Amino acid sequence: MARLRAAGLGALADLGFRGLDNDVLDPVIVTGFHASRTHKLTPGQKTANRVLAVGRAPVEHGFAHLKNWRILTKLRANPDRSTRLLRALLVLTNLEVNR
């Protein structure tokens, strides 16, 4: 989280990452709103969750395709190179799937 903040970047995350970033004024990790039995979401919170889901969906779909193709289990490389390779593969995967 400190590296993201130092680089001026942020991340969209699912509700599993809730509480990881407690800085309310300048969050680095943006998660959705959580509903419970006693606390229902407002229409604005539901809209915010939808916008977040739209931003995360292409990446989630790309990783699902990479997992189906089992590319990640065969990858044996330097982590710096693998990050660049995975980014390129995600772009190509999304281009192919959305064609």
Side-chain angles (χ1 to χ4, degrees):
M1 196 167 40
R3 284 183 160 179
L4 285 173
R5 184 166 275 120
L9 299 174
L12 301 178
D14 62 9
L15 290 177
F17 292 93
R18 214 172 25 138
L20 187 63
D21 186 8
N22 292 327
D23 189 353
V24 179
L25 298 177
D26 185 25
V28 173
I29 299 174
V30 178
T31 59
F33 293 95
H34 178 70
S36 66
R37 263 188 254 157
T38 58
H39 177 262
K40 304 298 180 198
L41 295 180
T42 66
Q45 290 172 329
K46 287 181 183 181
T47 302
N49 280 354
R50 254 185 250 112
V51 169
L52 181 64
V54 166
R56 289 183 52 241
V59 176
E60 295 288 339
H61 290 169
F63 275 118
H65 287 292
L66 291 176
K67 287 179 184 178
N68 283 339
W69 297 337
R70 298 199 167 127
I71 290 173
L72 300 177
T73 59
K74 299 174 187 174
L75 184 63
R76 303 285 184 258
N78 181 341
D80 292 334
R81 288 188 180 153
S82 2
T83 301
R84 286 189 214 127
L85 177 64
L86 283 176
R87 285 180 184 161
L89 286 172
L90 279 172
V91 168
L92 292 173
T93 302
N94 283 333
L95 286 174
E96 182 66 25
V97 169
N98 294 328
R99 187 173 3 156

